[in-house]
C-alpha cells in the first residue's frame, strides 16, 4: 500500500510528469483519430437520414459530444484545482490551467453548432432555452477562470485563486442550471421542447458515442500538450528543463 | 462577537467620513433605472412588465460598483494583514466587513426600490414583494461578491475582472429575485421564489465568508 502511494505521488513532481505526459500524448492522439474516423464514418455514411430533420440533424454528432465535454471538463478542472489546493501539488494547478482553454473551446463549439442547428430547425439562431442559457453561462465561467489566471503574475497565487473560483463555480453550476430551467418554464410556453429526445436509431447512438470518445481523447491529448508547455515555462530556471529542451 | 461588531462599526464609520463613495453607487442605481424608460419608450404596460428585471439588474450593477472597495483600502494600508494576524478569526472579521458592505451598498437600494418602482407604475403589493425580494437578495449579492473581491485583490485590471467573475454567479439571485415579482403579478404567489432566495442566502451566508477568507489568505501570502 505504502509502495503504491509513493508511486502515485512521484508524478506530482513536474520533472517526472513531463516525460510521462510526453509518452502518453501519441497514444491519446491515435485514439482520438481512430475514434474520430469511425465516428465520422458512421455519422456521415451509415446513420440514416432523419425523417423529420433531414440531413441537418447530423450536426448533433459534433454538438452533443462538445456539450458533454464542456461540462465534464469543468468538473475535471475543478477536481484538479481542489486537489492542488488540498495537497499543494504543483502539477494539479497546472492541469487545471491546461484544461480551461479546451473546456472553453468545447463550450464555444457547442454554442456555435447549436446555433447552426437551430437556424434551419427552429428558424432562429438563438432561443432562450434553459440548456442554451446554462451552456452560455458555463462559457462565461470558463472565461472568468482564464481571465483570473492570466491577470495574476505569480503562478502559485494564480493556481490557488483559480482553484477557489473553480470550486465556487462547481457549487454554483447545479444552482445556475436549475434556476435557469425554472426561469425558462415560467417565462416560456412549450413552444420548443428539447427535453423530449426522439427515440434514436441505434447507429446514430453509436456514431455519437464514438465521436464523444474521440473528443474525450482529443481533450486529454491537448491538455497534456498544454501542461507540458506550462511545465517548461514555469520550471525554465531548473537544470532538468535546460536538458529536456536540448 | 465583539470583534465582529467592532469591524462593522469601523467600516460604517469610515464610510460615513467619505459619504460620496456610498452615495455614488446609490445615484448610479437611480440613474440606470431611469435610463431604461428613455431607451425603451414610455409605454406604461411594457414598463410595468419589465420593471422588476430593470430594478434587479440595476441593483446587481450598483452592488458591483462598491465591491472593489471592500478590501482594497485595507489591503493597501496593511490593515488586512493585521486582521489576519489578530487573535479573532479572520472569517468573523470578513463577515463583519461583508455585513457593513451590505448596510452601505445593499440596504439603500432596498429602501429606494419602492420609490423607483412607483416610476414604473407598480401597485402596492407588488412593491412589497419587490422590496422583500431585494431584502433577501442584496445580502446574497454582497456575500458572493466578496469572494470575487478577495480573489481580484491587488490584481491588474481588478475591477473589470471582478465583473466577469461575479456576474455569472449572480444569475440565480437575479432569476429568483425578479421571478418573485413576476410570479406575484401572474397570480402564482411569490412564496416559492422567496423561499429559494432565502435558502441561497443561508447557504451563501455559511460558505461565502469562508471562501472569502481562503481567497484573502492567498492574496496576502
Amino acid at each position: 500500500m505504502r509502495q503504491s502511494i509513493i508511486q502515485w505521488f512521484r508524478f506530482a513532481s513536474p520533472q517526472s510528469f513531463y516525460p510521462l505526459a510526453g509518452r502518453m500524448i501519441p497514444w491519446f492522439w491515435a485514439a482520438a483519430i481512430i475514434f474520430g474516423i469511425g465516428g465520422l464514418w458512421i455519422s456521415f455514411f451509415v446513420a440514416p437520414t432523419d425523417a423529420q430533420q433531414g440531413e441537418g440533424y447530423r450536426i448533433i454528432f459534433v454538438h452533443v459530444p462538445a456539450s458533454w465535454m464542456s461540462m465534464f471538463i469543468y468538473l475535471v478542472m475543478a477536481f484538479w484545482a481542489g486537489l492542488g489546493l488540498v495537497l499543494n501539488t504543483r502539477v494539479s494547478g497546472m492541469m487545471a490551467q491546461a484544461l480551461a482553454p479546451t473546456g472553453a473551446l468545447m463550450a464555444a463549439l457547442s454554442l456555435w453548432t447549436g446555433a447552426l442547428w437551430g437556424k434551419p430547425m427552429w428558424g432562429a439562431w438563438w432561443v432562450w432555452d434553459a440548456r442554451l442559457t446554462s451552456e452560455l453561462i458555463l462559457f462565461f465561467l470558463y472565461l472568468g477562470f482564464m481571465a483570473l489566471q492570466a491577470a495574476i503574475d505569480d503562478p502559485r497565487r494564480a493556481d490557488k485563486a483559480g482553484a477557489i473560483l473553480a470550486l465556487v463555480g462547481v457549487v454554483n453550476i447545479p444552482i445556475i442550471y436549475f434556476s435557469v430551467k425554472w426561469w425558462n418554464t415560467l417565462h416560456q410556453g412549450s413552444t420548443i421542447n428539447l427535453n423530449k429526445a426522439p427515440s434514436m436509431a441505434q447507429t446514430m447512438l453509436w456514431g455519437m458515442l464514438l465521436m464523444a470518445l474521440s473528443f474525450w481523447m482529443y481533450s486529454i491529448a491537448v491538455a497534456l500538450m498544454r501542461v507540458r508547455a506550462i511545465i517548461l515555462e514555469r520550471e525554465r530556471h531548473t537544470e532538468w528543463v535546460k536538458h529536456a529542451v536540448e | 462577537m465583539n470583534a465582529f461588531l467592532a469591524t462593522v462599526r469601523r467600516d460604517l464609520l469610515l464610510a460615513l467620513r467619505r459619504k460620496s463613495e456610498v452615495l455614488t453607487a446609490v445615484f448610479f442605481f437611480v440613474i440606470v433605472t431611469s435610463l431604461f424608460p428613455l431607451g425603451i419608450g414610455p409605454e406604461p404596460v411594457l414598463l410595468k412588465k419589465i420593471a422588476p428585471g430593470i430594478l434587479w439588474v440595476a441593483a446587481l450593477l450598483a452592488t458591483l460598483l462598491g465591491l472593489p472597495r471592500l478590501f482594497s483600502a485595507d489591503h493597501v494600508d496593511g490593515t488586512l494583514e493585521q486582521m489576519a494576524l489578530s487573535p479573532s478569526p479572520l472569517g468573523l472579521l470578513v463577515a463583519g466587513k461583508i455585513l457593513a458592505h451590505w448596510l452601505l451598498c445593499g440596504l439603500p437600494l432596498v429602501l429606494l426600490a419602492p420609490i423607483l418602482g412607483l416610476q414604473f407604475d407598480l401597485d402596492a403589493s407588488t412593491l412589497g414583494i419587490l422590496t422583500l425580494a431585494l431584502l433577501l437578495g442584496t445580502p446574497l449579492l454582497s456575500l458572493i461578491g466578496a469572494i470575487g473581491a478577495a480573489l481580484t485583490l491587488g490584481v491588474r485590471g481588478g475591477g473589470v475582472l471582478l465583473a466577469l467573475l461575479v456576474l455569472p454567479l449572480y444569475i440565480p439571485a437575479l432569476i429568483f429575485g425578479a421571478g418573485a415579482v413576476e410570479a406575484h403579478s401572474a397570480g402564482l404567489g411569490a412564496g416559492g421564489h422567496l423561499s429559494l432566495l432565502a435558502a441561497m442566502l443561508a447557504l451563501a451566508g455559511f460558505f461565502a465568508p469562508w471562501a472569502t477568507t481562503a481567497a484573502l489568505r492567498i492574496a496576502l501570502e
Side-chain angles (χ1 to χ4, degrees):
Chain A
M1 186 63 196
R2 170 152 296 227
Q3 197 66 33
S4 72
I5 287 172
I6 292 166
Q7 284 295 315
W8 278 107
F9 271 87
R10 201 166 76 81
F11 294 113
S13 127
Q15 187 179 357
S16 49
F17 186 71
Y18 182 81
L20 174 74
R23 279 202 303 279
M24 289 195 297
I25 287 168
W27 293 101
F28 283 114
W29 269 120
I33 291 168
I34 290 167
F35 286 132
I37 289 173
L40 284 176
W41 183 68
I42 289 182
S43 53
F44 275 113
F45 299 111
V46 178
T49 306
D50 189 270
Q52 288 163 10
Q53 307 186 356
E55 301 292 344
Y57 89 93
R58 290 185 199 276
I59 205 160
I60 64 159
F61 292 114
V62 175
H63 175 70
V64 174
S67 314
W68 282 345
M69 286 315 295
S70 67
M71 291 179 253
F72 181 60
I73 287 176
Y74 199 93
L75 289 181
V76 177
M77 190 178 89
F79 166 76
W80 284 117
L83 202 68
L85 207 58
V86 172
L87 299 178
N88 214 11
T89 45
R90 276 179 297 167
V91 175
S92 311
M94 295 183 197
M95 265 321 272
Q97 196 191 344
L99 281 165
T102 308
L105 172 77
M106 291 294 169
L109 196 61
S110 154
L111 290 170
W112 189 251
T113 52
L116 289 180
W117 182 83
K119 185 65 183 168
M121 300 304 160
W122 299 338
W125 296 108
W126 181 265
V127 291
W128 289 98
D129 173 80
R131 291 193 192 188
L132 273 75
T133 314
S134 37
E135 186 74 27
L136 185 68
I137 297 166
L138 183 65
F139 182 57
F140 291 155
L141 289 177
Y142 274 121
L143 290 187
F145 180 84
M146 279 160 36
L148 181 66
Q149 290 232 319
I152 301 175
D153 288 326
D154 173 20
R156 297 291 287 152
R157 191 190 156 190
D159 279 349
K160 286 180 180 173
I164 289 185
L165 184 67
L167 292 176
V168 170
V170 141
V171 173
N172 264 284
I173 279 178
I175 300 177
I176 292 174
Y177 178 74
F178 282 107
S179 61
V180 169
K181 201 169 167 176
W182 289 333
W183 161 76
N184 186 254
T185 47
L186 183 75
H187 278 251
Q188 229 178 11
S190 56
T191 46
I192 297 153
N193 198 346
L194 263 178
N195 299 329
K196 215 167 45 199
S199 54
M200 205 179 281
Q202 202 70 21
T203 43
M204 292 185 193
L205 191 66
W206 272 109
M208 214 145 83
L209 284 178
L210 281 176
M211 286 306 284
L213 277 174
S214 167
F215 273 50
W216 196 353
M217 297 300 128
Y218 162 82
S219 305
I220 296 175
V222 168
L224 286 176
M225 285 173 82
R226 202 173 285 121
V227 88
R228 264 165 70 96
I230 294 170
I231 289 175
L232 284 186
E233 194 186 346
R234 289 202 195 169
E235 305 282 309
R236 61 182 176 275
H237 56 275
T238 56
E239 205 54 39
W240 72 267
V241 166
K242 283 170 195 144
H243 290 299
V245 175
E246 270 164 13
Chain B
M1 210 56 204
N2 269 337
F4 174 77
L5 291 176
T7 316
V8 176
R9 226 185 53 207
R10 167 183 171 273
D11 275 25
L12 290 180
L13 201 64
L14 279 175
L16 288 181
R17 298 269 157 81
R18 288 172 296 186
K19 290 191 192 66
S20 66
E21 286 187 4
V22 175
L23 290 176
T24 313
V26 174
F27 281 126
F28 175 82
F29 179 61
V30 176
I31 290 173
V32 167
T33 49
S34 314
L35 282 180
F36 275 91
L38 297 175
I40 291 165
E43 268 175 81
V45 181
L46 179 64
L47 287 180
K48 197 172 174 175
K49 190 163 164 44
I50 59 175
I54 290 173
L55 285 168
W56 262 92
V57 171
L60 293 195
L61 298 175
T63 320
L64 203 61
L65 271 189
L67 281 177
R69 284 199 312 273
L70 184 54
F71 299 115
S72 64
D74 285 349
H75 182 54
V76 169
D77 67 10
T79 315
L80 207 57
E81 268 174 48
Q82 296 306 315
M83 283 180 167
L85 294 173
S86 84
S88 25
L90 182 58
L92 200 64
L93 304 179
V94 165
K97 287 187 76 67
I98 296 173
L99 178 63
H101 178 263
W102 177 70
L103 289 173
L104 291 166
C105 288
L107 197 57
L109 307 186
V110 178
L111 299 176
L112 269 175
I115 301 167
L116 295 174
L118 285 177
Q119 283 189 319
F120 292 93
D121 191 27
L122 297 178
D123 56 51
S125 67
T126 315
L127 284 177
I129 297 289
L130 177 71
T131 314
L132 196 58
L134 277 169
L135 193 64
L136 286 171
T138 44
L140 183 63
L141 302 182
S142 292
L143 284 163
I144 297 173
I147 304 175
L151 284 174
T152 54
L153 192 60
V155 165
R156 265 180 289 117
V160 184
L161 186 60
L162 180 62
L164 190 61
L165 300 187
V166 164
L167 284 178
L169 302 177
Y170 276 176
I171 287 168
L174 172 66
I175 286 174
F176 292 122
V181 184
E182 198 144 322
H184 175 77
S185 309
L188 293 171
H193 286 85
L194 293 177
S195 307
L196 280 166
L197 215 52
M200 287 194 293
L201 177 60
L203 199 69
F206 180 74
F207 282 110
W210 183 57
T212 309
T213 311
L216 280 179
R217 286 203 194 278
I218 290 167
L220 288 175
E221 257 174 27

